[in-house]
Amino acid sequence: MTTRRQALGPLAATALLPLAPRLAFSAAPFSNIGNAGYYRFRFGSFEVTALSDGTMALPMAKIYQNESADELQRRLDENFLGKEPHISINAYLVNDGERLVLIDAGTGTLLGSAAGKLIRHLESSGYRADQMDAVILTHIHADHSGGLTVDGEPQFSNATIHVADREYRFWIDREGLAPLTEEVKKDLQRAHDSLAPYIAADKVKRFADNADPLPNFGSILRPGHTPGHSSIVLKTRDGQRLVFWGDVIHGDYVQFDEPDVFVTFDVDGTAAAATRATALAEAADGRYLVAGAHLPFPGIGHVARDSTLYRFVPWNYVE
């Protein structure tokens, strides 16, 4: 039988605990190690690595066009994105067993400290910039080509740059330009500076509309955002496709339900909207994987039809 003294013993000992010396531990410091910035997976016989160049905080309710700013902001708010959501800047590396092919090259030093991280993340993933055999550009806007050259120095010294012929003619040869705004003048200068050392070294190759830039890689002309804007298609032997969209979509909510909403960066907003409607329908019907340059990193998933039109379904994480 337990006596009262026996029962009270542990309680008495507990009461004395505050009088006992206490061991003190210093708080752990915050880590200074950044996010990995890459995500790797296998697609057929290919190795694909999504690479983050960082983000841009943008007032999307003002950048989106063809809908009231109030309604656009309501859509952003209901998806917890606020007034300046951080829009991802994604690039993709494909190892096809014979060559290393980078799709888009990030911003370099052109768009602030939240971006320009592609080469750092490329190195974290186990590769170096000088190992790249080729860079295929979806188009020549600064957030896709700015990382090619920094302070006049080519960053991918051994790579050949592949770009759609009509894109090159617009930005480099300056064919078909309307009267130039200051913003377009800036874009033209950035395009020139990014490609200049590669042009001088005869390391720029142009591909025709819907042509194959390289073996295993096709292209789909998706004009509007820029005249030669092209999605790049990785094709497996058994017929699977991974389509690197480029700038078909900016963000992950508004334009899936409202493809006719375009952005101020579009050279031709009406054409970009028509292109987007086609691209969304083809992705949903074809059930193929897409990779979006401005979808939340790593930006890989499927397009599904739903009650309001379309939605983006991120690809299930695979270790």
Side-chain angles (χ1 to χ4, degrees):
M1 176 182 293
T2 302
T3 67
R4 184 172 181 273
R5 184 184 299 275
Q6 290 170 326
L8 290 175
L11 295 176
T14 301
L16 292 175
L17 282 177
L19 302 178
R22 300 178 65 185
L23 295 176
F25 296 95
S26 60
F30 292 126
S31 172
N32 60 5
I33 299 174
N35 294 323
Y38 70 91
Y39 173 65
R40 178 166 293 142
F41 61 98
R42 294 298 293 266
F43 183 72
S45 62
F46 307 116
E47 174 197 86
V48 181
T49 306
L51 296 164
S52 172
D53 187 63
T55 62
M56 297 179 288
L58 297 173
M60 292 306 295
K62 297 178 182 178
I63 289 171
Y64 287 135
Q65 303 292 298
N66 209 25
E67 178 64 89
S68 76
D70 288 345
E71 174 58 21
L72 290 164
Q73 190 59 58
R74 184 191 69 77
R75 294 286 307 281
L76 293 169
D77 288 341
E78 72 181 12
N79 288 291
F80 307 101
L81 292 171
K83 293 189 181 299
E84 289 199 352
H86 278 258
I87 302 298
S88 292
I89 308 168
N90 306 325
Y92 300 91
L93 172 64
V94 178
N95 184 341
D96 70 0
E98 296 182 13
R99 62 185 70 82
L100 291 171
V101 180
L102 184 64
I103 297 168
D104 288 333
T107 65
T109 58
L110 296 181
L111 297 179
S113 59
K117 302 173 183 177
L118 185 143
I119 288 182
R120 184 199 314 170
H121 292 154
L122 176 67
E123 291 173 349
S124 296
S125 80
Y127 291 108
R128 300 187 315 273
D130 62 6
Q131 291 178 289
M132 299 301 106
D133 297 293
V135 179
I136 305 176
L137 298 178
T138 58
H139 61 300
I140 311 181
H141 271 160
D143 52 324
H144 299 258
S145 64
L148 290 174
T149 302
V150 174
D151 296 329
E153 293 297 321
Q155 301 300 288
F156 303 95
S157 54
N158 296 312
T160 299
I161 313 304
H162 298 261
V163 62
D165 179 63
R166 69 169 66 211
E167 186 75 356
Y168 186 98
R169 286 190 281 115
F170 182 83
W171 293 107
I172 305 302
D173 294 340
R174 303 192 177 192
E175 290 184 10
L177 286 174
L180 301 182
T181 65
E182 288 305 312
E183 190 62 33
V184 171
K185 287 180 182 177
K186 183 191 295 185
D187 286 343
L188 288 166
Q189 187 62 51
R190 286 171 166 175
H192 171 272
D193 293 346
S194 295
L195 284 172
Y198 302 92
I199 294 171
D202 195 26
K203 287 185 146 186
V204 176
K205 304 297 182 187
R206 305 188 226 178
F207 56 88
D209 296 350
N210 303 307
D212 293 355
L214 287 167
N216 300 317
F217 295 87
S219 71
I220 307 170
L221 178 65
R222 298 291 195 199
H225 182 61
T226 63
H229 177 266
S230 298
S231 295
I232 305 303
V233 186
L234 183 63
K235 303 173 283 189
T236 68
R237 293 191 183 121
D238 62 357
Q240 295 183 73
R241 287 187 294 165
L242 168 54
V243 179
F244 301 96
W245 256 353
D247 283 12
V248 167
I249 291 279
H250 291 80
D252 59 336
Y253 290 103
V254 171
Q255 291 177 307
F256 280 95
D257 282 340
E258 299 179 64
D260 57 340
V261 170
F262 55 90
V263 294
T264 54
F265 312 126
D266 291 332
V267 172
D268 183 337
T270 301
T275 283
R276 184 165 31 262
T278 299
L280 288 168
E282 288 182 0
D285 294 342
R287 299 179 64 83
Y288 53 71
L289 272 177
V290 299
H294 299 304
L295 291 170
F297 182 77
I300 301 159
H302 291 90
V303 177
R305 296 181 187 273
D306 64 12
S307 60
T308 55
L309 198 56
Y310 299 103
R311 62 189 171 92
F312 179 64
V313 183
W315 201 26
N316 194 40
Y317 177 78
V318 179
E319 184 63 60

